[in-house]
Amino acid sequence: EDDDDDDEKASSIKLGLGDFIFYSLLVSKAALYSFATFAACVLVILAGLGGTLVLLAVWKQALPALPISIFLGVTFYLLTRMIIEPWIQDALTVPLYV
């Protein structure tokens, strides 16, 4: 029975505390700027984590959890902050008549 527990632990998915710290730092920095930036970062970090889990299932070996999520998070943070937010601000200044 102990052998089964060891096999189950070896095949389980583990995320370190450092992974969550980096994720939360990026999301909290995005939340300080705007809700749109916050939402974009949360969604792409979750998508990156999902992509990492898919790669983990395909390759069946240990993979770092940070690179895909952090790359996508930083990319979308900058994209949202530099392009999307100014566009939202411009769109809100123009009145919309229905």
Side-chain angles (χ1 to χ4, degrees), residues 10-88:
S11 67
S12 67
I13 297 170
K14 299 174 187 118
L15 283 177
L17 185 60
D19 299 330
F20 290 109
I21 289 172
F22 279 107
Y23 296 152
S24 63
L25 282 173
L26 180 60
V27 169
S28 63
K29 179 65 176 170
L32 289 174
Y33 189 71
S34 72
F35 179 76
T37 308
F38 164 76
C41 285
V42 167
L43 292 175
V44 297
I45 284 174
L46 291 175
L49 188 56
T52 302
L53 293 176
V54 168
L55 290 176
L56 181 67
V58 170
W59 287 350
K60 297 183 193 240
Q61 67 180 13
L63 294 172
L66 283 176
I68 296 172
S69 295
I70 294 298
F71 174 75
L72 288 174
V74 170
T75 301
F76 274 80
Y77 172 78
L78 294 172
L79 180 73
T80 306
R81 190 164 174 181
M82 302 300 172
I83 296 172
I84 304 297
E85 273 299 316
W87 178 78
I88 290 173

